[in-house]
Amino acid sequence: MQRFFNLAGALGFLMSAGMVAGSVMLYTRIPSITKHYMSELQTELTKMVTDMVPGKIDDVMPELPTSTGPAVELPKSPF
């Protein structure tokens, strides 16, 4: 009977030590796990938005001017 209690105590200690070690390991890896899932989410959202926005926007947008006109004169001060 004494062996059973010793075995149960040893197993309980091993389970507790394993839980503490697992908790510490998870706690130290939370930032990297969060960064990984945030980058995956950002990539997925970028793909979704790219698919939602049609490619014809470039056809509708006017072209930017390549040159500018003369400078605009400032109004003369009344003083």
Side-chain angles (χ1 to χ4, degrees):
M1 194 68 165
Q2 183 67 33
R3 285 188 184 191
F4 173 74
F5 289 127
N6 289 340
L7 180 65
L11 289 177
F13 175 76
L14 288 175
M15 286 181 11
S16 297
M19 296 269 301
V20 168
S23 298
V24 168
M25 204 164 116
L26 180 65
Y27 183 74
T28 57
R29 292 185 177 249
I30 283 177
S32 64
I33 291 171
T34 304
K35 184 187 278 187
H36 173 72
Y37 284 118
M38 288 300 287
S39 67
E40 279 187 10
L41 181 64
Q42 185 177 14
T43 304
E44 191 67 30
L45 285 175
T46 303
K47 287 180 185 176
M48 286 176 54
V49 169
T50 304
D51 291 342
M52 291 171 74
V53 175
K56 300 195 180 238
I57 287 183
D58 293 334
D59 298 337
V60 177
M61 293 293 288
E63 294 196 23
L64 294 174
T66 56
S67 63
T68 59
V72 178
E73 290 186 33
L74 293 174
K76 295 190 179 195
S77 175
F79 302 106

